Amino acid sequence: ALFGFVLTFITSILWPNLPQISLIGFALFALLLLLSYRFSAVVAGMLAGLLWASMCGYYYTHWQVNEAMFGNNLLVRGTVLSLLAPPMAKPLTSHVQPKRALTAPAKHTAIKFNFRVNKMGTQVPWFKPQIRLTWQRPSLHLQQGDELVLLVRLKPPVGLANPHGFNYQKWLTSKNISALGYVKNSPSNRLLISAPSLRQQNINHLLTHSLSNIRWILALSYGDRRLLTSSDWELMQRTGTAHLFAISGMHLGIVFGFILIISKGIIYSIVRLTKGELSRNVKPWLLGFSTLVCAYYAFLAGFEIPVMR
């Protein structure tokens, strides 16, 4: 069954188009019959692969931005998902106060951020598409979690037509980015709700401390690389350590091991101080607690694809 599933799913990249809904319904009916009579596990796996690949394809097409929206000025309402730092960017000020500024800092010549669209023009999409926006000379100081109304102009998420180069369009698809665009400076741009996310609140709290290495702390702990200077990016490129500053499974492993060791040490210290004995196996509780802490850390990191993998 697994062989049939993997074989069908891999060959889905060669499909000229998605199967019709009627064919998907027939495949589902046939799969149920095969499972009922326990006939041909390989064929059942192939049908399951067909259904799964079709579902993924239809899901992908449904959260795409309508082509009629491209190339026109469009008023959108949504939420800031994450603030991005382009490579070799100039640093932002590290002395950021928790209070919101009405205007952006002077060094904010341009910002780039991911935006989840809740309303597009007069339409309220069923699937909330994610778009990546650039804002030259922003009039607002953005934070993750803010709800905004912006006047934007969008374009399809395309890359360079170089078959041997980096496939930017495929990479954007893996990030669930369905459109690119930029914010047009307009009186329509306004902040609706100031609701910094938990991750943003933690970052704001760290930024209130005058630490010499705050930019490295934020990059390593939260994946926030906006404070890194051009020399920092050059250093990471020379040393090949840029991957360390994207939250991944390695970070989760370090957090898991650290929490496991600390919690185990606390429990055994309490037992020794009270001169008692462990009446039950605490290992499952330690592993469960460490897993919960890792899940919380993954939530703060934004559940990026490397984290989930």
Side-chain angles (χ1 to χ4, degrees):
L2 181 60
F3 173 76
F5 179 89
V6 173
L7 179 64
T8 304
F9 191 81
I10 291 177
T11 57
S12 64
I13 61 176
L14 303 177
W15 297 353
N17 46 45
L18 291 174
Q20 298 292 329
I21 299 297
S22 57
L23 179 59
I24 294 176
F26 176 77
L28 178 60
F29 177 73
L31 177 61
L32 293 176
L33 285 180
L34 289 175
L35 293 177
S36 299
Y37 292 99
R38 298 181 180 179
F39 176 77
S40 186
V42 176
V43 177
M46 295 176 66
L47 290 174
L50 171 68
L51 293 172
W52 181 256
S54 301
M55 184 185 70
C56 293
Y58 275 105
Y59 171 73
Y60 171 76
T61 57
H62 274 81
W63 56 257
Q64 296 304 298
V65 176
N66 193 325
E67 293 183 358
M69 303 294 184
F70 293 139
N72 301 315
N73 292 342
L74 185 66
L75 202 63
V76 297
R77 173 175 177 170
T79 306
V80 177
L81 293 179
S82 59
L83 301 170
L84 309 174
M88 312 303 290
K90 293 183 179 180
L92 308 181
T93 174
S94 61
H95 301 288
V96 178
Q97 300 298 326
K99 296 181 180 180
R100 170 173 300 279
L102 295 179
T103 58
K107 290 185 178 181
H108 261 165
T109 57
I111 58 175
K112 184 177 291 187
F113 57 98
N114 291 337
F115 194 69
R116 182 178 61 233
V117 179
N118 300 323
K119 187 175 182 180
M120 186 172 294
T122 58
Q123 301 179 8
V124 179
W126 179 262
F127 290 95
K128 310 301 182 184
Q130 297 182 26
I131 60 178
R132 177 161 294 185
L133 298 173
T134 302
W135 194 351
Q136 299 287 343
R137 296 181 299 277
S139 58
L140 296 172
H141 178 68
L142 303 187
Q143 296 191 90
Q144 185 184 42
D146 288 346
E147 187 170 347
L148 310 168
V149 171
L150 300 173
L151 183 66
V152 303
R153 178 166 290 191
L154 302 178
K155 65 179 181 179
V158 297
L160 299 177
N162 182 1
H164 304 290
F166 177 70
N167 193 329
Y168 186 56
Q169 183 178 9
K170 184 177 180 180
W171 182 82
L172 289 173
T173 301
S174 69
K175 298 290 185 180
N176 290 341
I177 303 297
S178 57
L180 302 175
Y182 63 91
V183 180
K184 296 179 67 68
N185 289 313
S186 166
S188 301
N189 300 330
R190 64 186 187 275
L191 173 70
L192 294 179
I193 300 176
S194 173
S197 64
L198 183 60
R199 176 176 182 268
Q200 185 67 60
Q201 293 177 32
N202 291 344
I203 291 174
N204 289 344
H205 178 70
L206 283 175
L207 289 174
T208 58
H209 300 282
S210 299
L211 302 177
S212 58
N213 294 318
I214 186 65
R215 64 189 190 279
W216 297 110
I217 295 174
L218 289 177
L220 282 170
S221 57
Y222 293 99
D224 189 333
R225 294 166 288 184
R226 291 176 296 150
L227 295 180
L228 297 179
T229 63
S230 300
S231 59
D232 294 333
W233 285 103
E234 292 173 355
L235 175 63
M236 289 189 293
Q237 289 178 356
R238 290 198 308 267
T239 57
T241 55
H243 65 282
L244 297 178
F245 299 90
I247 305 302
S248 63
M250 181 192 70
H251 295 76
L252 291 180
I254 294 174
V255 171
F256 183 89
F258 180 77
I259 297 299
L260 183 63
I261 293 173
I262 293 298
S263 56
K264 186 176 181 180
I266 292 175
I267 289 179
Y268 282 100
S269 297
I270 293 175
V271 171
R272 175 165 292 187
L273 290 174
T274 57
K275 298 181 179 180
E277 294 183 359
L278 290 175
S279 58
R280 62 178 63 185
N281 184 13
V282 297
K283 185 177 293 185
W285 296 95
L286 294 176
L287 295 175
F289 177 70
S290 302
T291 302
L292 288 176
V293 173
C294 277
Y296 175 72
Y297 180 68
F299 167 74
L300 292 180
F303 282 114
E304 294 288 341
I305 290 179
V307 173
M308 293 188 293
R309 183 171 61 240

